[in-house]
Amino acid sequence: MSSALLTDHYELTMLQAALAGGAAHRRAVFEVFARRLPGGRRYGVVAGTARVLDALENFRFGPEELDFLRAARVVDEPTLEFLAGYRFSGQVYGYREGESYFPGSPVMVVEGTFAEAVLLETLVLSILNHDCAVASAASRMVQAAGKRPIIEMGSRRTHEFAAVAAARAAYLCGFGSTSNLMAGHVYGVPTAGTAAHAFTLLHDSEEDAFRAQLDSLGVGTTLLVDTYDVAKAVRTAVELAGPDLGAVRIDSGDLGEVALEVRRILDAFGANRTRIVVTGDLDEFAIAALAASPVDGYGVGTSVVTGSGHPTANFVYKLVAREDAGGVLRPVAKQSVGKPSRGGRKWAYRAVEDGTAVTEVVTLEPAGGRHRPLLAELVRDGEIVGREPLEDARARHRATVTELPTMAHSLSPGDAAIPTIFS
Amino acid sequence: MSSALLTDHYELTMLQAALAGGAAHRRAVFEVFARRLPGGRRYGVVAGTARVLDALENFRFGPEELDFLRAARVVDEPTLEFLAGYRFSGQVYGYREGESYFPGSPVMVVEGTFAEAVLLETLVLSILNHDCAVASAASRMVQAAGKRPIIEMGSRRTHEFAAVAAARAAYLCGFGSTSNLMAGHVYGVPTAGTAAHAFTLLHDSEEDAFRAQLDSLGVGTTLLVDTYDVAKAVRTAVELAGPDLGAVRIDSGDLGEVALEVRRILDAFGANRTRIVVTGDLDEFAIAALAASPVDGYGVGTSVVTGSGHPTANFVYKLVAREDAGGVLRPVAKQSVGKPSRGGRKWAYRAVEDGTAVTEVVTLEPAGGRHRPLLAELVRDGEIVGREPLEDARARHRATVTELPTMAHSLSPGDAAIPTIFS
């Protein structure tokens, strides 16, 4: 399926005017960056890069797209002709997925003619703004959960395809699994889940429901114990399943208090290894508050798929350099009030001392030296060269988070964990 | 493309256990409702119903889906066999798109066997939670804007497919157009847009850029005037275009102040009919604050596609009735702490007096009388019967909003505009 119409109308009218005026074929550099991290967060996390590459591969104007644009009179015939032959032939560099980013980090750089690069603005931003918002929230939750696993289960709280991308982004940041089957199918994210209240209510008694679930899914399953009376349900669960019951799930009430009571009952029945999973409007703050409670795993829904209060990452896609009439590449930047931009093609490096990140270094020329380069080659002359397995991104995220200074894991609002220095 | 895997893992494991245990074929009624409106809003708006019907039509487990489920060991062979033959054969009733809703409104009712109805939970909720969140925010913005048109331009701030659904939901609530071309193609939403700062920066001068745009798009176009100096840009614009310039767009600064200055300059040049469009992080509050400013139209991005602070609508999909072992349909409801549910299949009516809505009436039996029935037949014995043109939903929204009491349009947090009475 073509991704070409997942684009704003004005990208095409700009193209038309630039083709007619003659500037369309000037070489241009666009940069994706965020002026700030949302809500006093200490770091952001890059996710969605691989999805940008997939979308780029399918960015083609075929007969269906061209017929629509013609019928809706979006652009003129010369522009339609250009679009019919459109293939991105330029370069894309970007931060790798799982890497952290900070205000001003050039997380993606797109070079090509103005015509070919401007068309990608909407789609690139849609993907990165969504996936990075989810990843940036997910990473905080994983840090708050420590060694306890988290399952992502927010599909029902967001657009049905956003749910798939959200599951991928959360897994990339260390969530253990997702409820979303499509994310399992398309991205290989492990999927998990057992039963809802409806399953208990379907049966004439809670005991009937638990027995049916245990018979079919085995004693390793997770029984949901808060449909009626939690204490009674836990006793029923262990009586039916024995001490090898896999887990119980609590979805309501004061989770910390209820978990304590459930742990006591389970232990009294010898079910010492039966795990307690809690769910129900959890976010990074609620997870952190449960650190001392006898909880073995978390299920997180709404808050992770909606970026925990910040559903979009504030990335913009700005023209930072372009050829002038004489063919020389010139830095450019708008001067709009309150929206600072820095002209010029950028390079970016992470300065790390004794294993701890200390500075984000953004330069106008490639810099050698010992700092870690952050911009990887993703597309070379229109050919996608930057694909990698999702597990590599997941490992990179673990590494980048470990490298951040301790204050990066503060959940209170404040400054970015490391400063961004433009030099 | 099949929508069947846009589903939570646990819907399928519940199905497996219910098939094995024998309860899967009990007749069941699921209800979609919200326990509260987000953020002290006075009403919610139903959107996404048509997308639910589209998704239902494509909810099929073909070889690709079954192979994945088998390889990932999600469910056993008897369950895979059931899925291979899955066709929803039940009934769906729902509030019509554009209609308002309130806490406890049964916006959708799904009747079928437990097996066929439980599978739809995730997908139905994904669509309604997303689309209703956008619609509920969009409706407030349209009311705040009065007669001034709003263009939806938030595609870049949300997942690339969520953007398409958001454009549709916003249009349904009275937005005039969208930037999103796919929404134009798939749903017939009018699309609009002219140029970004990049277009100005591409050229060697702002004058070159404006000339190129006017030559190609005509004097009726909208020129973006805040790349450098607004006052200078407006003069350049009118000098080049003459007094018939269509519009200018301001995207930064104190929009009310800048609009005043721009209006003065335009009028001084005789461009009295040139419109002023403002954009830049607008929401319903900012729109309302600009009511007295010389603004002719708004462009709204982030806030509408992210539900203006409430990106999900809090809908749940609850089993409210099911057959018992004797074949009698029984109301059911969980008793979880803090999550009130009311058992039983519901009907819903809007009581309207002298043209003003006064009560949402929810009953356990169909009620005759003069109240407007809110549940329309959408699916009959598995066949989709509830499709309607998008323009009908748009007209319904205008009517339902007009009918609400005046306090419904208060932007301050408070109670729902009308009470929901269960009888």
Side-chain angles (χ1 to χ4, degrees):
Chain A
M1 182 187 153
S2 170
S3 60
L5 293 183
L6 298 168
T7 297
D8 281 342
H9 187 113
Y10 82 173
E11 317 289 6
L12 272 66
T13 49
M14 280 194 277
L15 171 65
Q16 172 180 320
L19 285 170
H25 303 294
R26 288 185 173 192
R27 193 152 58 94
V29 181
F30 285 86
E31 180 187 312
V32 177
F33 67 96
R35 294 191 179 94
R36 60 185 192 284
L37 297 172
R41 297 249 181 99
R42 309 318 182 97
Y43 65 101
V45 178
V46 175
T49 314
R51 298 209 311 114
V52 168
L53 298 180
D54 291 344
L56 180 60
E57 194 159 46
N58 297 312
F59 201 91
R60 299 276 184 277
F61 293 86
E64 182 181 336
E65 291 75 32
L66 296 169
D67 287 352
F68 161 70
L69 294 173
R70 184 178 289 111
R73 298 169 186 244
V74 175
V75 285
D76 61 14
E77 284 298 325
T79 307
L80 293 174
E81 269 173 50
F82 175 89
L83 293 175
Y86 179 84
R87 298 287 184 277
F88 181 75
S89 69
Q91 325 299 324
V92 181
Y93 305 89
Y95 280 40
R96 284 293 194 173
E97 287 192 296
E99 186 59 84
S100 49
Y101 73 86
F102 303 92
S105 295
V107 300
M108 191 169 281
V109 175
V110 178
E111 297 186 9
T113 64
F114 176 81
E116 63 184 356
V118 75
L119 288 183
L120 303 178
E121 177 182 27
T122 310
L123 188 51
V124 165
L125 286 179
S126 289
I127 294 173
L128 293 180
N129 271 326
H130 175 268
D131 290 16
C132 294
V134 173
S136 298
S139 178
R140 284 157 60 93
M141 294 170 188
V142 170
Q143 306 320 308
K147 290 186 189 307
R148 297 172 179 174
I150 317 184
I151 174 174
E152 183 281 309
M153 36 178 269
S155 295
R156 66 191 55 199
R157 301 299 193 171
T158 188
H159 183 279
E160 68 273 23
F161 286 107
V164 185
R168 180 182 182 279
Y171 180 67
L172 195 160
C173 292
F175 274 52
S177 55
T178 178
S179 65
N180 190 283
L181 291 170
M182 190 70 93
H185 180 38
V186 177
Y187 298 119
V189 179
T191 65
T194 51
H197 296 103
F199 186 79
T200 300
L201 294 172
L202 168 67
H203 292 84
D204 295 329
S205 72
E206 194 170 51
E207 187 177 334
D208 282 1
F210 286 180
R211 189 178 289 115
Q213 185 175 333
L214 290 163
D215 285 351
S216 178
L217 303 177
V219 293
T221 193
T222 300
L223 293 172
L224 176 59
V225 293
D226 72 337
T227 304
Y228 305 110
D229 177 86
V230 174
K232 185 164 168 292
V234 175
R235 283 192 293 271
T236 304
V238 193
E239 279 164 11
L240 289 172
D244 293 332
L245 174 63
V248 295
R249 175 160 79 96
I250 310 164
D251 184 51
S252 56
D254 180 319
L255 295 173
E257 285 300 309
V258 180
L260 265 179
E261 185 191 3
V262 168
R263 186 74 267 163
R264 272 196 299 269
I265 301 171
L266 288 171
D267 291 349
F269 278 80
N272 309 72
R273 284 168 308 157
T274 299
R275 294 178 308 115
I276 297 175
V277 178
V278 296
T279 59
D281 285 334
L282 296 176
D283 59 14
E284 61 269 46
F285 304 100
I287 290 171
L290 288 165
S293 297
V295 164
D296 303 288
Y298 303 95
V300 177
T302 307
S303 68
V304 67
V305 301
T306 59
S308 197
H310 303 283
T312 188
N314 298 318
F315 283 119
V316 293
Y317 181 96
K318 291 295 168 194
L319 183 68
V320 292
R322 49 84 185 147
E323 275 182 332
D324 64 15
V328 178
L329 196 71
R330 303 277 185 195
V332 293
K334 66 174 175 175
Q335 292 155 23
S336 310
V337 175
K339 296 189 175 179
S341 301
R342 284 181 184 80
R345 157 80 162 97
K346 318 282 194 319
W347 280 257
Y349 304 86
R350 181 79 36 86
V352 180
E353 286 177 11
D354 299 330
T356 301
V358 291
T359 318
E360 189 85 338
V361 180
V362 180
T363 62
L364 290 172
E365 296 292 337
R370 63 210 166 80
H371 300 333
R372 182 166 85 244
L374 294 168
L375 284 170
E377 193 177 27
L378 301 175
V379 178
R380 184 190 306 148
D381 300 334
E383 189 198 343
I384 292 166
V385 297
R387 288 214 169 85
E388 63 174 356
L390 182 56
E391 293 298 334
D392 290 6
R394 202 163 186 252
R396 177 179 303 109
H397 183 65
R398 276 195 299 275
T400 193
V401 164
T402 307
E403 193 184 70
L404 292 176
T406 315
M407 67 84 90
H409 304 301
S410 166
L411 295 180
S412 324
D415 292 334
I418 61 173
T420 304
I421 297 193
F422 296 87
S423 64
Chain B
M1 183 189 154
S2 170
S3 60
L5 293 183
L6 297 168
T7 297
D8 282 342
H9 187 114
Y10 83 173
E11 317 289 6
L12 273 66
T13 48
M14 279 193 277
L15 170 66
Q16 172 180 319
L19 285 170
H25 302 294
R26 288 185 172 191
R27 192 152 57 94
V29 181
F30 285 86
E31 179 187 313
V32 177
F33 67 96
R35 294 190 179 95
R36 60 185 191 284
L37 297 173
R41 298 248 181 99
R42 308 317 182 97
Y43 65 101
V45 178
V46 175
T49 314
R51 297 208 313 113
V52 168
L53 299 180
D54 291 343
L56 179 61
E57 194 159 45
N58 296 312
F59 200 91
R60 299 276 185 276
F61 293 86
E64 183 182 335
E65 290 75 33
L66 295 169
D67 287 351
F68 162 70
L69 295 173
R70 184 178 288 112
R73 298 170 185 243
V74 175
V75 285
D76 61 15
E77 283 299 325
T79 307
L80 293 174
E81 268 173 49
F82 175 89
L83 294 175
Y86 179 85
R87 297 289 182 276
F88 182 75
S89 70
Q91 326 299 324
V92 180
Y93 304 89
Y95 279 39
R96 285 292 191 173
E97 288 192 296
E99 187 59 85
S100 49
Y101 72 86
F102 302 93
S105 296
V107 300
M108 191 168 281
V109 175
V110 179
E111 297 185 7
T113 64
F114 176 81
E116 62 184 355
V118 75
L119 288 183
L120 303 178
E121 177 182 27
T122 310
L123 189 51
V124 165
L125 286 179
S126 289
I127 293 173
L128 293 180
N129 271 325
H130 175 268
D131 290 17
C132 293
V134 173
S136 298
S139 179
R140 284 158 60 93
M141 294 170 188
V142 170
Q143 305 320 308
K147 291 185 188 305
R148 297 173 179 173
I150 316 183
I151 172 174
E152 184 282 309
M153 36 178 268
S155 295
R156 65 191 55 199
R157 300 299 193 171
T158 188
H159 183 278
E160 67 274 21
F161 285 107
V164 185
R168 180 184 183 278
Y171 179 67
L172 194 158
C173 293
F175 274 52
S177 56
T178 178
S179 65
N180 190 284
L181 291 170
M182 189 70 91
H185 180 39
V186 177
Y187 298 118
V189 179
T191 66
T194 50
H197 297 103
F199 185 79
T200 301
L201 294 172
L202 168 67
H203 292 83
D204 295 329
S205 72
E206 194 170 51
E207 189 178 331
D208 283 0
F210 286 179
R211 189 177 290 114
Q213 185 176 334
L214 291 163
D215 285 352
S216 178
L217 303 176
V219 293
T221 193
T222 301
L223 292 172
L224 176 59
V225 293
D226 73 336
T227 305
Y228 307 110
D229 178 86
V230 173
K232 186 165 167 293
V234 175
R235 284 191 292 270
T236 305
V238 193
E239 280 164 11
L240 289 172
D244 293 332
L245 175 62
V248 296
R249 175 160 78 96
I250 310 164
D251 185 52
S252 56
D254 181 318
L255 296 173
E257 286 299 310
V258 180
L260 266 178
E261 185 190 3
V262 168
R263 185 75 268 162
R264 273 195 299 268
I265 301 170
L266 289 172
D267 290 349
F269 277 80
N272 311 71
R273 283 169 306 158
T274 299
R275 294 177 309 116
I276 297 175
V277 178
V278 295
T279 59
D281 285 335
L282 296 176
D283 58 14
E284 62 268 47
F285 305 100
I287 290 170
L290 288 165
S293 298
V295 164
D296 303 289
Y298 304 95
V300 177
T302 306
S303 67
V304 67
V305 300
T306 58
S308 198
H310 303 283
T312 188
N314 299 317
F315 283 119
V316 292
Y317 183 95
K318 292 295 168 194
L319 184 68
V320 291
R322 49 84 186 147
E323 276 183 331
D324 64 15
V328 178
L329 195 71
R330 302 276 185 196
V332 293
K334 66 175 176 173
Q335 293 156 21
S336 310
V337 176
K339 296 189 175 178
S341 301
R342 284 181 185 80
R345 157 79 161 98
K346 317 280 194 321
W347 280 257
Y349 305 86
R350 181 79 36 85
V352 179
E353 286 177 12
D354 298 330
T356 301
V358 290
T359 318
E360 189 84 339
V361 181
V362 180
T363 62
L364 290 172
E365 296 292 337
R370 63 207 167 84
H371 300 333
R372 182 166 83 245
L374 294 168
L375 285 171
E377 193 177 27
L378 301 176
V379 178
R380 184 190 305 147
D381 300 335
E383 190 198 342
I384 292 165
V385 297
R387 287 215 169 84
E388 63 174 356
L390 182 56
E391 293 298 335
D392 290 6
R394 203 162 184 253
R396 178 180 303 110
H397 183 65
R398 275 195 300 274
T400 192
V401 163
T402 307
E403 192 183 71
L404 293 176
T406 314
M407 68 83 90
H409 305 301
S410 166
L411 294 179
S412 325
D415 292 334
I418 60 173
T420 304
I421 296 192
F422 296 87
S423 64

